[in-house]
């Protein structure tokens, strides 16, 4: 639906006449402006007008949606996912219930390498079909834009296959998609003893073809213990810059392993995970433009520590929240649960968590001009909630289903 009016809104949430020009930091992150007793119009798919009280007569011709006292807010932006994969990994989940750790499973050829084996033999059509279903699931749960990574290919052929699937998803998706090349997700078994040879393939084989076919918007590296070290990470991000791909990093998930240092040194757009940070990492991040993206459903699912969100916010770092939807460490793209975890486990306020999952997350995939706030001219991607007393009810009602409709 490209033209409509929503009436009878209890609170219009995240209303900014001018959208923030930079990510919200410190106290600003708690600033979630709301307009009570409101209406909003969308024309040609864009937010056209909004106000309080009765819908003005000039908009009577528009199809009306009665919010019935629900809240209306901007859709979530999920800036970090891996939704293209061939098979679930519940066997590893069972192994973890019996005491094996995520790192042990990965070191024994499970984890990312397990997914890579399955992607290698899957057809492009199969991958597309299952990823499209996950995409629709996310969209129905309130996600209005999504980033999708490759990284279960780990060979030139399979990485390109994954990125072509993402490109095809872009052409049919109801929501905007950003594609990230994550060839540096893990070292394939046969390169564990000769890591530079795999990096050479990423740099000399994968990247030129990806650029030539316009298959990626960003480049990502898993910089962590047992994966890529700081020097390797920086080399790969620098190679990406030659093709105008901005960097993102998976970092500090398994320890204080230099992900933040590498991200800040390379001016990465975001460094994601951050379950382990010391004062040094937090200060570095706070004094940089790099966004710290936290993925609390991963900490929840793996039973690892939650990121120090309060430390980051208080020091002035720009932070965002995302789902990390993937088969190994977060088999869910439910952003409302991510927001609940951020409040319950990371002591973020509901307003902070909602901003981190909307406008700040939009900055993390450079979509801040079209998503993340209720601002005229932005995309009319909106969530209508069931009648709830206040927007704080969204994280309070964890795991619940308070989304009435997604537009
Ligand atoms: O973001 N940490 C690295 N990569 C993914 C997990 C990948 C997997 O286990 O399949 C993540 O958690
Ligand atoms: Fe991830």
């Amino acid at each position: 639906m490209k033209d409509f009016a929503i009436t009878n809104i209890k609170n219009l949430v995240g209303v900014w006449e001018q959208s923030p020009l930079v990510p919200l930091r410190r106290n600003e992150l708690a600033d979630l402006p709301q307009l009570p007793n409101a209406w909003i119009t969308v024309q040609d798919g864009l937010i056209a007008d909004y106000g309080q009280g009765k819908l003005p007569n000039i908009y009577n011709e528009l199809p009306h949606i009665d919010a019935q006292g629900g809240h209306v807010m901007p859709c979530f932006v999920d800036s970090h996912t891996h939704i293209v994969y061939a098979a679930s990994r519940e066997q590893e989940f069972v192994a973890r219930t019996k005491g094996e750790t995520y790192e042990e499973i990965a070191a024994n050829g499970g984890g990312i390498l397990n997914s890579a084996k399955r992607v290698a033999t899957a057809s492009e059509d199969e991958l597309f079909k299952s990823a499209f279903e996950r995409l629709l699931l996310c969209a129905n749960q309130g996600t209005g834009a999504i980033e999708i990574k490759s990284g279960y290919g780990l060979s030139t052929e399979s990485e390109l296959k994954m990125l072509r699937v993402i490109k095809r998803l872009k052409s049919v998706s109801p929501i905007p998609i950003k594609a990230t090349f994550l060839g540096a997700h893990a070292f394939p078994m046969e390169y564990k003893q000769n890591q530079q040879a795999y990096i050479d393939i990423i740099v000399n084989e994968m990247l030129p073809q990806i650029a030539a076919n316009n298959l990626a918007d960003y480049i990502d590296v898993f910089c962590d213990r047992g994966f890529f070290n700081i020097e390797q990470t920086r080399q790969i991000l620098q190679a990406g810059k030659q093709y105008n791909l901005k960097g993102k990093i998976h970092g500090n998930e398994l320890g204080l392993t230099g992900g933040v240092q590498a991200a800040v040194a390379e001016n990465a757009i975001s460094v994601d995970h951050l379950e382990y940070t010391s004062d040094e990492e937090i200060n570095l991040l706070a004094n940089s433009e790099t966004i710290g993206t936290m993925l609390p459903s991963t900490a929840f699912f793996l039973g690892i520590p939650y990121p120090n969100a309060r430390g980051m916010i208080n020091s002035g770092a720009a932070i965002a929240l995302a789902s990390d939807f993937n088969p190994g460490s977060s088999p869910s793209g439910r952003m409302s649960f991510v927001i609940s975890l951020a409040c319950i486990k990371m002591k973020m306020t509901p307003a902070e968590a909602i901003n981190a999952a909307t406008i700040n997350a939009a900055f993390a995939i450079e979509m801040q001009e079209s998503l993340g706030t209720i601002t005229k001219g932005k995309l009319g991607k909106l969530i209508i909630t069931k009648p709830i007393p206040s927007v704080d009810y969204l994280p309070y009602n964890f795991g619940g289903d308070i989304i009435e409709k997604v537009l």
Side-chain angles (χ1 to χ4, degrees), residues 80 82 89 102 112 115 152 185 222 250 253 273 298 324 326-329:
H80 180 142
H82 313 244
R89 303 212 312 254
Y102 181 73
I112 295 164
S115 282
Y152 293 132
H185 201 185
F222 188 10
H250 278 74
E253 176 184 4
H273 272 293
T298 302
D324 198 17
N326 76 76
S329 67

Side-chain angles (χ1 to χ4, degrees), residues 80 83 95 151 169 210 219 264 272 276 295 337 353 382 385 397 406:
H80 180 142
I83 61 168
L169 290 170
I210 289 164
I219 180 165
V264 172
D272 304 23
Y276 292 88
L295 313 165
F337 185 57
L382 305 169
T385 72
N397 184 237
V406 181

Side-chain angles (χ1 to χ4, degrees), residues 26-286:
R26 294 185 193 272
N27 296 341
E28 290 166 2
L29 190 64
D31 194 5
L32 186 65
Q34 300 188 39
L35 201 63
N37 184 23
W39 52 267
I40 184 168
T41 61
V42 170
Q43 291 182 280
D44 262 343
L46 304 179
I47 296 174
D49 201 1
Y50 56 79
Q52 284 181 290
K54 195 178 161 296
L55 183 73
N57 290 337
I58 45 166
Y59 298 127
N60 279 349
E61 299 298 295
L62 290 174
H64 281 32
I65 299 168
D66 186 344
Q68 297 184 332
H71 284 57
V72 171
M73 61 184 286
C75 274
F76 308 123
V77 174
D78 196 347
S79 66
H80 180 142
T81 80
H82 313 244
I83 61 168
V84 177
Y85 56 84
S88 57
R89 303 212 312 254
E90 68 278 4
Q91 322 79 358
E92 296 177 6
F93 169 70
V94 175
R96 286 195 295 102
T97 64
K98 295 180 179 161
E100 237 183 302
T101 68
Y102 181 73
E103 274 184 277
E104 286 163 354
I105 291 167
N108 293 328
I112 295 164
L113 297 184
N114 178 1
S115 282
K117 244 179 265 154
R118 303 297 298 264
V119 164
T121 54
S123 74
E124 223 162 296
D125 277 346
E126 277 162 8
L127 289 173
F128 170 80
K129 206 167 156 275
S130 63
F132 188 57
E133 275 168 25
R134 292 178 201 117
L135 177 71
L136 294 182
L137 187 69
C138 293
N140 287 332
Q141 290 172 346
T143 293
I146 195 166
E147 182 258 19
I148 310 175
K149 300 173 196 291
S150 67
Y152 293 132
L154 308 184
S155 70
T156 304
E157 193 189 337
S158 292
E159 282 295 313
L160 288 168
K161 176 163 73 176
M162 287 189 74
L163 289 167
R164 280 194 303 270
V165 168
I166 301 173
K167 192 169 187 174
R168 193 167 150 201
L169 290 170
K170 279 186 181 185
S171 69
V172 293
S173 173
I175 62 175
I177 296 176
K178 290 282 175 106
T180 299
F181 167 50
L182 178 56
H185 201 185
F187 288 104
M189 248 341 163
E190 58 276 28
Y191 290 99
K192 287 239 179 203
Q193 302 313 320
N194 185 9
Q195 302 187 341
Q196 190 56 42
Y198 183 60
I199 295 173
D200 289 344
I201 293 175
I202 293 178
V203 171
N204 300 324
E205 242 182 73
M206 297 186 193
L207 266 173
Q209 295 191 51
I210 289 164
N213 295 292
N214 214 349
L215 289 173
D217 302 298
Y218 302 109
I219 180 165
D220 196 340
V221 180
F222 188 10
C223 178
D224 224 317
R225 184 167 66 212
F227 293 86
F228 292 76
N229 66 30
I230 303 189
E231 291 72 34
Q232 294 168 331
T233 301
R234 293 191 61 179
Q235 189 198 341
I236 294 162
L237 290 192
Q238 283 166 15
K241 281 182 194 163
Q242 306 290 317
Y243 298 98
N244 291 323
L245 297 179
K246 289 188 190 165
K248 285 182 163 278
I249 286 184
H250 278 74
N252 297 66
E253 176 184 4
L254 308 173
L256 295 174
T257 48
V260 172
Q261 285 78 355
V264 172
E266 293 304 328
N267 201 15
I269 183 154
S270 72
V271 54
D272 304 23
H273 272 293
L274 303 171
E275 286 83 358
Y276 292 88
T277 50
S278 72
D279 288 350
E280 183 189 329
E281 276 82 10
I282 291 181
N283 287 330
L284 265 173
L285 205 54

